Amino acid sequence: MFRCSAAAWLLVFCFAASANAQTMSHSLSPVVEPLMSINCSNANGHADNSYWRSYTLCDFGIDDGITINSVSFGVENSTVGVGLTTQPINVRIYEDPTPGNIGNPATLNLLYGETFQVGTLALQTFVATFATPVTVACHTTIVVEINSPNGQTAGHLFFIGANDNGQTAPSYISAGACTINVPTDTALIGAPNMQMIIDVNYTLGAVCGSCSGIAVDCHVPAQGSYELVFEEADVFTSSPNALISDTLPTTTDSITVAGVPTIDDLDVMVDITHGFVGDLLMTVADPAGTTVTLHANAGVNLADIRAVYDDNGGLNARPFSTPAPNPPVRIMPAGPGTLADYNAGIGDGTWTLSITDGTLDPSVGQLNSWELRFINRVPIPDNTLTPVDTTLSVKSTNVDEIMDLDVRTEISHGMAAQLTVDVTSPAGTSVRLAAQNLTGANVNERFDDAAPTFCDGFGTLVSGPGSMSDFDGEGVGGDWTLSVRDGVAGVTGDIERWFLMINPAPCDSPTGLLCESDCELSDVNLTWTNPPTSTYTSIEIRRDGVVIGSAPGAATAFTDVGVAAGNYQYEVIGDCSPGRASAVCEVEHQVYNGATDVIFALELPDLIDSAAALEAALVGNGLTVLVANSFNFDCVAAPGVERVWVLCGTFPQNYPLTQADGDLLVNWVTSGIAVYIEGGDIWGFDPVTAFEGYDGVENAVFTNLQDGDDSLVQLTGQNSGFGLDFTGTIVSYGQASTGIDSNDRLVPCDINSDLGGTSAGVIWTGMDPTAGPYNVGIYYQSTFSPVISQSFEIGGFGGDIGQLTSDYVGALGGVVGGGFKRGDMNADGSVNLQDPVLVLGFLFNQGAAPICPDSADANDDGSINLQDPVLILNFLFNFGLPPEAPGPNNCGPDVNVDTLDPCNYPTTSPPC
């Protein structure tokens, strides 16, 4: 008789080994899907790869011991070498004495191993039936390893079978040749869909007691627990924001240390933004030149490093980055060398961090910051009634509430029996960890409550008064204090560091949190979705860490009313009582001020601040400006906005337009808003967006658009043929990133029409020493709204940026706001004889008043009198002084405040 358990549908077959044959599986589907698996291999075959799964019997409701008869594993692809029919696959069963993440295999106890021969297979399941069934004791955690030994010589390839249909526990992989030295969750190496099919087929064995009485250590990463550490340290920091690129030499940065005559212990914190850390080599060197390798081409396709390198950190830890405000991950240096090599050395002098970007990937990055942490031990006074206090300050952004807390200490002392140790929470709860009751030297202990209570029984029992459960339900954020008193004379010691081991009370975060700026109403609107798995009793709202309001537990929206312009971080915190969880969003909030022009400053920092240069030029021309740092901005919809200026920058600090950005630009230009856009790679390299059909630049599909190079150092003006004419203007161009600046070569759409017609012409060219001139600026008199596209940064323009901006505003269909030409009394666009005649008629013959009073005030003395026409006549006919600023030729605002009405040229006048 065949009988399958409730979980047996996960396999495509049942077992007839006995009447109680069953299967443990973490897979929600048995189907092996193509292209779901990765391995460590080269063109000749695979290196040594191991694939891992962990099974805790109690998690599957198995109260008894079991006998493992076979292991079934999926095979995506097994290809054997030429002339061979099979390849070896090792299947091993371990006992894990410390359940949780699998960790270092050296900590596992091998129960059984057998080698199986696997032939050519694809998208199938292989059943490895053991010659000797494996007996597993009650309440055990077992680990299964599927190992494909090095097949590069034989030409073997093997990919474990997997799918992305869901799993109930992580899949792990290790491969020393790819620096994955310990079993690592596939989701942490960029393969979250690699959910391996590895199932354990067993029969029930010895009868045991119920699993319900078995204590579970919840202070392991798999349970969502974490540690916070107290360390007394001298910290030296540098924030260079230095570019990292495989087209550049090694990136280096230095920190000068003073006041550290002797090193007791050193940690190094590094914060790097980079799309592919697998090709980074990072070292640190002390003033004497001793070098330690922190990171050595590891991480496969992971992005970013935000980590503390610590000799006591995790071995080859992944991920290498944890997002702020979470504490950085602690990683053991890759070596060669360890940070202990610096112990007892001299810290003072210049330390150097060096980062080499390999050529495995073209991604660039940035060294945001790094710091040297020289750890100082805290002395414990000998024979005193007063303890020494050390405080661990946990940021208020940590909203967790405690489900279980342990405290781990590293205290060096020759006689632990002399010490009394207490810990106090931010809420004032105090528990005595040790009361002169320990033996031996040092207090390197994990303090815990007694088993079999949930989570407990895995450390040294606290002495009391109080127990660790006294902290349950309290918040983590705030100041925690560890107090140590030495009550007996003769032996001294130090506090090295101590840790809070926190298992937070479960509470799921809100999802889909959006912060949206309503710049016309000056409000910020928050919306979110409450998780179906958690019910909130209330919701708290914070702005930049400060509580600004609350909402009922079922609320999904909140409006922050009347917020001043600025960049803000909002946090929505759901209270599960016990347990809290939060979601964070950031918003660039602008308050509309009647601006006619919006600048989108999107580029990363480089040698040119184009946004600042453009803003100054526009303001100098009398225009009102808003500056935004992202497209997450809705003030463009305000009725007064006439132009947007999109600054994407040049390679390598450029911002590539997204498809959503392109759609926004199309929406604006088709609704009557003129667009200026600049960027080195928008047309020749970056992904094509919908705006390609509206920018006046020939599309790449016509093969007459070229990617850029580094030759642009001079700009020559051209006549567009549509009113914007820079003929005769030759100016220098200052590159934004000297030596690697890139400027695409543009072709106007005067032959192959964009959607706004063919009225497009060149306004700026550069010169290639070999190929001759090439176009870097296009003016498009579109049937929708005018567009200027240029592949260089306006901040690098070597001429008069104020005049250039004024010309651009006129070409984009605008009039320089608040501006006039001094002496142009009839507002016809030039200073000529008609102007003084008009003013003389106004002064003496009751003639019409000047259209622009400030313009008629030629000497800018705050009134219109006879001196004004006399000054103009002398200027025109006797080489006299010109009218005061802004002068007779350039438009601009009145620089001096007076009682005359502001002079704004009417829209019927010629462009200013």
Side-chain angles (χ1 to χ4, degrees), residues 394-400 477-478 542 544-546 571 573 580:
V394 182
K395 294 181 178 180
S396 61
T397 50
N398 186 323
V399 300
D400 288 339
R542 297 181 183 178
D544 291 343
V546 177
E571 190 173 16
I573 305 167
R580 306 180 84 200

Side-chain angles (χ1 to χ4, degrees), residues 205 348 375 486 507 626 692 813 880:
D348 291 352
I375 311 303
D486 183 345
C507 185
L626 278 175
E692 290 279 344

Side-chain angles (χ1 to χ4, degrees), residues 22-43:
Q22 300 181 58
T23 297
M24 286 188 294
S25 178
H26 286 303
S27 300
L28 299 187
S29 167
V31 179
V32 180
E33 295 183 350
L35 303 178
M36 287 294 173
S37 186
I38 64 173
N39 69 11
C40 180
S41 60
N42 62 18

Side-chain angles (χ1 to χ4, degrees), residues 109-127:
N109 301 322
L110 180 64
L111 299 179
Y112 183 78
E114 187 173 342
T115 300
F116 296 86
Q117 296 298 322
V118 178
T120 299
L121 294 177
L123 304 181
Q124 297 183 47
T125 300
F126 183 90
V127 181

Side-chain angles (χ1 to χ4, degrees), residues 8 54 88 323 332 422 444 468 843:
S54 176
M332 185 184 299
D422 298 272
N444 296 330
M468 301 305 292
L843 290 173

Side-chain angles (χ1 to χ4, degrees), residues 727-820:
T727 303
T729 302
I730 300 176
V731 298
S732 62
Y733 174 66
Q735 295 184 342
S737 299
T738 304
I740 52 174
D741 207 68
S742 176
N743 309 95
D744 287 338
R745 303 183 177 201
L746 313 180
V747 176
C749 68
D750 53 350
I751 298 176
N752 295 304
S753 171
D754 271 2
L755 297 177
T758 58
S759 299
V762 178
I763 53 177
W764 296 107
T765 61
M767 175 60 71
D768 188 316
T770 303
Y774 57 93
N775 308 325
V776 292
I778 303 293
Y779 172 55
Y780 187 30
Q781 203 172 75
S782 168
T783 58
F784 299 107
S785 301
V787 178
I788 293 175
S789 299
Q790 66 183 44
S791 61
F792 63 90
E793 294 195 31
I794 197 169
F797 184 78
D800 185 342
I801 296 180
Q803 183 59 51
L804 176 69
T805 305
S806 176
D807 293 335
Y808 279 2
V809 170
L812 293 173
V815 177
V816 175
F820 62 95

Side-chain angles (χ1 to χ4, degrees), residues 347-422:
D348 291 352
T350 300
W351 293 70
T352 302
L353 186 75
S354 300
I355 304 168
T356 302
D357 191 341
T359 58
L360 298 178
D361 190 275
S363 60
V364 297
Q366 180 171 286
L367 171 59
N368 303 311
S369 63
W370 68 290
E371 63 187 35
L372 299 167
R373 300 180 175 181
F374 296 96
I375 311 303
N376 298 320
R377 299 179 177 182
V378 178
I380 303 171
D382 189 29
N383 191 24
T384 179
L385 296 177
T386 303
V388 58
D389 292 339
T390 53
T391 301
L392 171 57
S393 296
V394 182
K395 294 181 178 180
S396 61
T397 50
N398 186 323
V399 300
D400 288 339
E401 291 181 343
I402 295 168
M403 183 170 70
D404 187 80
L405 175 71
D406 291 353
V407 173
R408 185 159 61 89
T409 60
E410 294 181 12
I411 300 173
S412 59
H413 195 280
M415 190 172 292
Q418 296 182 356
L419 300 181
T420 300
V421 183
D422 298 272

